[in-house]
């Protein structure tokens, strides 16, 4: 995405649960272009299971990838989720890690602006459990005032964060979800 705006972008697969993998990304970025203006942490895993049935290994995996991955990266822009603010059925471990991402974002300091965006539902390869016409899809769209899912280009709010005009914006999380979080209870 950055190249179309005249920026240099490094895309590299990283295991965020591994400090050495994160260090390799940092070293590659520094070698390619020097200090970065923006680092987007967009890694995330989920496990759908009743809360009491979530195994300890799955819980550890969710927290290690989703929350500790953010902490290890020393990030500038984190990707949180609506679950940082709400709880959904059978995904307690995922949303606990989302709340941790929000908490780590709010801990901003040391002269580094750390913010997050919380995208609503954006169809991806990873969430294909929302095929069109399902009851779950209808429930989400009913609660979303814009009555549609997001498009990938709409997550781009993170590109605003490194601008000089945003230097005093830190520890914040903006929702990018068609007003899903503001919708209240649907009739």
């Amino acid at each position: 995405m950055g190249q179309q705006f005249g920026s240099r972008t490094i895309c590299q697969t990283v295991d965020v649960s591994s400090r050495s993998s994160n260090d390799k990304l940092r070293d590659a970025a520094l070698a390619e272009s020097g200090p970065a203006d923006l680092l987007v942490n967009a890694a995330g895993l989920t496990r759908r299971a009743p809360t009491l049935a979530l195994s300890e290994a799955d819980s550890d995996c969710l927290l290690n990838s989703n929350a500790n991955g953010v902490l290890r990266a020393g990030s500038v822009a984190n990707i949180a989720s609506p679950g940082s603010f709400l709880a959904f059925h059978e995904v307690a471990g995922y949303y606990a890690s989302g709340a941790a991402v929000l908490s780590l974002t709010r801990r901003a300091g040391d002269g580094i602006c750390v913010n997050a965006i919380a995208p609503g539902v954006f169809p991806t390869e990873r969430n294909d459990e929302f095929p069109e016409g399902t009851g779950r899809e209808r429930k989400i769209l009913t609660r979303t005032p814009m009555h549609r899912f997001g498009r990938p280009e709409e997550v781009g709010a993170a590109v605003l964060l490194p601008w000089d005009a945003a230097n005093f914006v830190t520890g914040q999380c903006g929702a990018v979800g068609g007003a899903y979080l503001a919708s209240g209870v649907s009739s």
Side-chain angles (χ1 to χ4, degrees):
M1 181 169 125
Q3 280 103 352
Q4 71 190 70
F5 296 107
S7 299
R8 290 182 291 186
T9 302
I10 296 171
C11 295
Q12 181 172 322
T13 301
V14 176
D15 176 359
V16 296
S17 67
S18 162
R19 182 172 298 280
S20 65
S21 185
N22 281 285
D23 290 348
K24 287 178 186 174
L25 171 63
R26 180 204 59 222
D27 294 346
L30 289 171
E32 175 69 25
S33 60
D37 291 324
L38 176 66
L39 170 64
V40 177
N41 288 320
L45 299 174
T46 188
R47 300 282 191 274
R48 186 167 181 195
T51 303
L52 296 177
L54 185 67
S55 72
E56 189 169 333
D58 280 346
S59 178
D60 290 346
C61 180
L62 288 167
L63 288 171
N64 197 29
S65 295
N66 299 355
N68 292 339
V70 166
L71 186 60
R72 286 185 189 103
S75 63
V76 174
N78 296 319
I79 303 297
S81 84
S84 299
F85 304 94
L86 304 171
F88 291 103
H89 183 63
E90 296 187 338
V91 285
Y94 173 70
Y95 289 118
S97 67
V101 169
L102 183 57
S103 181
L104 289 167
T105 298
R106 289 179 173 157
R107 190 267 167 232
D110 303 323
I112 299 171
C113 292
V114 180
N115 293 289
I117 59 172
V121 178
F122 286 74
T124 67
E125 294 172 13
R126 297 204 77 178
N127 67 4
D128 60 359
E129 73 271 13
F130 296 121
E132 291 187 30
T134 65
R136 194 162 173 91
E137 177 201 35
R138 284 189 302 275
K139 286 178 184 177
I140 291 169
L141 291 176
T142 297
R143 189 183 159 112
T144 305
M146 292 189 77
H147 302 293
R148 66 175 178 84
F149 292 134
R151 295 184 294 267
E153 63 272 15
E154 293 173 318
V155 180
V159 301
L160 301 174
L161 298 174
W163 289 7
D164 288 342
N167 282 343
F168 204 56
V169 177
T170 191
Q172 302 301 308
C173 183
V176 181
Y180 183 87
L181 293 175
S183 67
V185 179
S186 300
S187 58

